[in-house]
Amino acid sequence: MSQEWDAGRLDSDLEGVAFDTLAVRAGQHRTPEGEHGDPMFFTSSYVFRTAADAAARFAGEVPGNVYSRYTNPTVRAFEERIAALESAEQAVATATGMAAIMAVVMSLCSAGDHVLVSRSVFGSTISLFEKYFKRFGVEVDYVPLANLSAWEAAIQTHTKLLFVESPSNPLAELVDIAALAEIAHAKGAMLVVDNCFCTPALQQPLKLGADIVVHSATKFIDGQGRCMGGVVAGRSEQMKEVVGFLRTAGPTLSPFNAWIFLKGLETLNLRMKAHCANAQALAEWLEQQDGIEKVHYAGLKSHPQHALAQRQQKGFGAVVSFEVRGGKEGAWRFIDATRLISITANLGDSKTTITHPSTTSHGRLAPAEREAAGIRDSLIRVAVGLEDVADLQADLARGLAAL
């Protein structure tokens, strides 16, 4: 290797490029080796030129790697790519999506602060707020996701954050993000949006006025159900606090997983278009079938927020939920009769998955909490993958025949 090589001239000029180009190239800073692919940096620590250099980096006085708990070139490439796709000033990667939510609240809230959470969130998110954040003095209340008046009425003088999933898991309920951001900001609070179901390919909440975006990268960002990870994106002012939490508490994303996510982002837009097309076809087909009592998918004209979804999203997503006759027993018979679709609670995979939310993802909630969130025993969630849609319809028809 020649020491005269200039790594900077090897990088791509990304000024003004489109989303798909950012998804492939943003965040890559080539080394003097001139590698074309994204490198993986497997190292726990870094070598310093002098003791003074080490002291300056640890103190944050000069840029550079310090320790892979919170600085790693591969992880940083993933963070920079997500920041570019979400139009954020900075992104911070974490070990899981739940760790991303934890990092936001732990870094930005203190005992005595008040947080408002949508009732329509993932079951583990509710458990995190109820069992842990409340224990350390954070006050938590829940609001119906789509009811803007309820949000405004529930905000108190010490409300720090509003936390929502839009679309929600698993009912695909939406909130008008721009309108809710205005309500939050008028009261001095920040809006945090879990954008896991849409990804930045379909929705960019920061452009709509949200302050912070969180993702479970385990889902569509990976796209093949291989690795776990999460990410937080927003303004540098808030992300500096999140980095401080990561540095101290250590819910760190591994370099290998970050590399997998970089590869996933390269095909994100293509995959999300295919996911959406399959989900739309299945939702329309399910709505016509005997034994189906209700289909929850924002791409359907029957969905009460179809117009809102058209306005703030570029697509309707890959998750279709539906209620079958026969309650829990009917739902279980339906699921057990399938032969192609995978029975698992994960989503965002190229393989279609099916699950019973009230006994899996939301099973730890009390019955009253599930009822408040609209998670009925008759509900089934299908995260639509990339298989041939006719084969998926045929497999769901087996479930229908079992009702």
Side-chain angles (χ1 to χ4, degrees):
M1 181 186 75
S2 170
Q3 296 299 323
E4 297 178 357
W5 289 357
D6 178 4
R9 73 185 185 196
L10 301 178
D11 292 344
S12 300
D13 182 357
L14 300 180
E15 183 68 29
V17 302
F19 182 95
D20 282 342
T21 304
L22 291 173
V24 172
R25 292 185 176 269
Q28 184 174 19
H29 303 286
R30 295 187 176 95
T31 73
E33 299 293 346
E35 70 281 350
H36 191 233
D38 297 284
M40 285 184 276
F41 287 85
F42 292 129
T43 180
S44 58
S45 62
Y46 303 87
V47 176
F48 308 104
R49 290 180 175 85
T50 64
D53 177 36
R57 286 205 225 169
F58 268 82
E61 296 170 355
V62 298
N65 295 308
V66 179
Y67 192 59
S68 275
R69 184 170 65 245
Y70 59 102
T71 57
N72 178 277
T74 310
V75 175
R76 184 165 58 250
F78 170 62
E79 292 171 336
E80 291 184 5
R81 192 167 296 179
I82 285 289
L85 297 180
E86 286 285 12
S87 297
E89 292 179 2
Q90 186 177 351
V92 183
T94 60
T96 65
M98 294 307 303
I101 298 171
M102 179 183 69
V104 169
V105 178
M106 293 294 287
S107 61
L108 299 179
C109 294
S110 303
D113 284 338
H114 181 237
V115 178
L116 288 176
V117 182
S118 162
R119 287 201 184 112
S120 305
V121 294
F122 179 46
S124 290
T125 302
I126 294 176
S127 296
L128 183 61
F129 279 97
E130 282 292 302
K131 295 183 179 180
Y132 299 102
F133 292 147
K134 278 188 174 182
R135 183 188 302 175
F136 293 97
V138 175
E139 299 177 22
V140 183
D141 286 309
Y142 299 90
V143 181
L145 176 60
N147 190 334
L148 295 175
S149 297
W151 284 102
E152 188 166 19
I155 296 177
Q156 302 177 29
T157 56
H158 60 306
T159 301
K160 193 69 173 287
L161 300 176
L162 279 60
F163 183 94
V164 302
E165 291 176 8
S166 185
S168 69
N169 178 19
L171 297 176
E173 189 180 8
L174 311 178
V175 69
D176 186 326
I177 294 173
L180 186 58
E182 288 186 10
I183 291 170
H185 297 159
K187 299 293 184 70
M190 292 182 285
L191 175 60
V192 182
V193 177
D194 185 329
N195 198 30
C196 175
F197 272 32
C198 273
T199 80
L202 302 184
Q203 178 175 263
Q204 295 168 314
L206 299 181
K207 287 186 175 180
L208 297 171
D211 299 280
I212 295 171
V213 169
V214 298
H215 287 280
S216 171
T218 311
K219 310 301 190 296
F220 295 103
I221 288 174
D222 176 2
Q224 295 186 46
R226 298 165 292 191
C227 294
M228 303 192 78
V231 65
V232 184
R235 294 191 298 273
S236 296
E237 178 185 359
Q238 282 78 39
M239 295 306 101
K240 180 180 179 181
E241 299 300 322
V242 178
V243 170
F245 176 77
L246 186 75
R247 177 173 184 165
T248 303
T252 307
L253 180 66
S254 79
F256 179 78
N257 289 12
W259 186 85
I260 291 291
F261 298 149
L262 284 167
K263 299 299 102 182
L265 287 173
E266 291 181 1
T267 60
L268 178 63
N269 205 20
L270 291 171
R271 288 187 288 105
M272 292 310 295
K273 289 177 180 177
H275 281 297
C276 290
N278 274 0
Q280 184 73 37
L282 277 187
E284 292 175 358
W285 178 80
L286 282 165
E287 204 171 36
Q288 303 302 314
Q289 305 306 308
D290 291 337
I292 303 296
E293 297 181 339
K294 188 173 185 179
V295 180
H296 303 272
Y297 185 67
L300 296 174
K301 293 181 179 179
S302 58
H303 192 284
Q305 296 169 301
H306 177 68
L308 174 61
Q310 287 180 308
R311 187 167 72 247
Q312 72 181 18
Q313 298 174 196
K314 296 179 182 177
F316 301 111
V319 178
V320 179
S321 294
F322 51 95
E323 298 171 38
V324 299
R325 67 178 178 226
K328 172 185 170 182
E329 291 74 19
W332 280 21
R333 286 197 303 272
F334 186 109
I335 292 169
D336 290 348
T338 60
R339 290 294 177 267
L340 172 70
I341 297 171
S342 307
I343 304 175
T344 179
N346 193 34
L347 59 93
D349 202 310
S350 57
K351 303 178 183 69
T352 299
T353 68
I354 190 168
T355 191
H356 185 239
S358 72
T359 55
T360 57
S361 59
H362 293 69
R364 289 186 293 166
L365 301 183
E369 291 174 323
R370 287 199 299 273
E371 183 63 28
I375 310 299
R376 299 182 177 87
D377 286 345
S378 58
L379 184 71
I380 294 171
R381 187 192 74 189
V382 172
V384 184
L386 303 179
E387 303 95 339
D388 188 288
V389 72
D391 294 329
L392 297 176
Q393 289 174 346
D395 202 35
L396 293 179
R398 296 185 181 101
L400 289 165
L403 293 177

